[in-house]
Amino acid sequence: MRSFGAARSPEAVRSSGAVRSSEAACSSRAAGRSEAVRRSGTAGRSGTARRGSAAVGVVLLASLAVGCGDAGDLQGAGATPTAVSPDKLWPDLTPASSPAFDIGEVDTEVVKGIKVPGGGIREVDPVAVVRAEIAANPGDYGAGAYYETARRMADCGKSGAAGSRCPVLKAYYRDLTGDGHDDLTLGFRQLPGNLTAVRVYTVRKDRLVKVMAYEDAVSSVELAGRSVIIRAPSEVAGYEYRLQWTWDPQQRAMLLTHDEMLRAGNRKHAPRPHVSKGPHASTSPRPASSSPAPSPTSAPDSASGSASGR
């Protein structure tokens, strides 16, 4: 009995208190267990005392395990899919050396008749820029094409209801080329029909240069960083196209860097009837291209969310 009492000596009690302290902390369960075993092994000098201390250590370690739980253990994430390497199809197919279609994705053009003294692009009249494009492409804005756009240009600058018929939308300014100077993002309606033309212009040696041109049935236009993002309705219900042009300093043009179909969320679009693209469209061919677009104010309103801060 005295031997067992030695296992309950003050030293053993101190050992028990140390283990309870580790249990309360629960910061390092493995270290706490090791300390409890070491102390219980030295609690008594006789063999009986050592056996009694070992028993106390086992009990204390068990309570420590219950108190701390397995919070620090690694947990399984469940089954993971097996990695599948890509399969290269038709390995004997001769690689193409040139594109099948010239989509003009790096075409740039100096706007004739528009001067930009001192590089101040904000001093350029957007209406004059559209008139210059119409003059340079009479076949696109004559009979059987976008003749209504050309006719309504006479309403630009007027007040009241007449002025609202002007096909030129609000212009936006932002540094898209990274040269520290504003560039011009311009939109105008291509009528009759429901297409919206989107253009980006920069200044080089006091000349206005068009670095991006696209037209489609546009749902929204956004400016983000060095990119122009256009959303257009798709003929697939519940989906829309998202196209992104990004400035490329090597080509010195806005390149089409993303062309994808995404779920439209709560947006509902009518199916896109087939309408042939204008010659300025600078994107890869898509089946059944154009469809009704929203009112003329929808594109600038969307762009204003990211451009209005300038």
Side-chain angles (χ1 to χ4, degrees):
M1 295 296 291
R2 286 192 296 271
S3 298
F4 186 78
R8 304 294 294 176
S9 65
E11 183 179 0
V13 172
R14 286 194 298 271
S15 174
S16 174
V19 173
R20 285 197 298 270
S21 178
S22 293
E23 180 183 0
C26 278
S27 60
S28 177
R29 183 174 51 193
R33 288 177 176 176
S34 176
E35 179 67 12
V37 171
R38 184 187 67 81
R39 293 188 178 184
S40 63
T42 60
R45 298 184 180 273
S46 65
T48 305
R50 286 195 295 270
R51 287 193 297 272
S53 298
V56 172
V58 170
V59 173
L60 292 175
L61 290 176
S63 65
L64 181 61
V66 171
C68 288
D70 293 329
D73 290 347
L74 295 177
Q75 300 294 324
T80 57
T82 303
V84 179
S85 62
D87 292 327
K88 184 175 182 180
L89 306 185
W90 307 301
D92 297 331
L93 186 66
T94 302
S97 58
S98 60
F101 304 99
D102 180 12
I103 60 177
E105 58 185 354
V106 295
D107 289 349
T108 60
E109 178 183 353
V110 176
V111 181
K112 296 181 180 179
I114 303 292
K115 298 294 183 181
V116 193
I121 199 168
R122 288 177 177 266
E123 303 302 321
V124 175
D125 182 8
V127 173
V129 175
V130 176
R131 283 179 174 150
E133 178 169 323
I134 293 174
N137 301 277
D140 298 340
Y141 297 93
Y146 306 130
Y147 66 91
E148 185 69 13
T149 296
R151 189 176 72 84
R152 290 193 184 185
M153 291 300 295
D155 295 324
C156 296
K158 295 180 179 179
S159 59
S164 65
R165 292 170 52 85
C166 176
V168 182
L169 305 177
K170 178 182 177 180
Y172 289 88
Y173 300 91
R174 173 176 288 194
D175 179 12
L176 295 174
T177 61
D179 63 357
H181 300 283
D182 282 338
D183 301 298
L184 168 63
T185 302
L186 181 62
F188 61 95
R189 306 286 290 148
Q190 293 187 321
L191 306 167
N194 295 290
L195 299 183
T196 300
V198 180
R199 307 285 189 259
V200 175
Y201 300 89
T202 190
V203 178
R204 296 176 188 164
K205 298 180 179 180
D206 293 342
R207 297 184 300 176
L208 190 67
V209 180
K210 181 167 59 181
V211 294
M212 177 257 181
Y214 178 77
E215 48 262 345
D216 202 347
V218 172
S219 298
S220 68
V221 182
E222 300 173 1
L223 301 180
R226 301 283 182 261
S227 298
V228 178
I229 301 171
I230 298 177
R231 293 181 183 268
S234 165
E235 62 276 2
V236 180
Y239 288 80
E240 65 182 359
Y241 290 111
R242 180 185 183 277
L243 304 103
Q244 177 174 329
W245 280 263
T246 303
W247 173 254
D248 188 290
Q250 294 182 336
Q251 298 297 330
R252 303 186 74 189
M254 305 288 291
L255 299 187
L256 180 60
T257 52
H258 291 82
D259 186 351
E260 54 189 347
M261 180 182 286
L262 303 173
R263 289 192 62 85
N266 295 327
R267 299 182 187 180
K268 294 182 179 180
H269 299 305
R272 297 158 61 100
H274 178 76
V275 178
S276 60
K277 294 267 187 176
H280 298 294
S282 58
T283 184
S284 55
R286 294 200 303 253
S289 54
S290 300
S291 76
S295 64
T297 59
S298 62
D301 285 347
S302 179
S304 65
S306 55
S308 60
R310 294 191 59 84

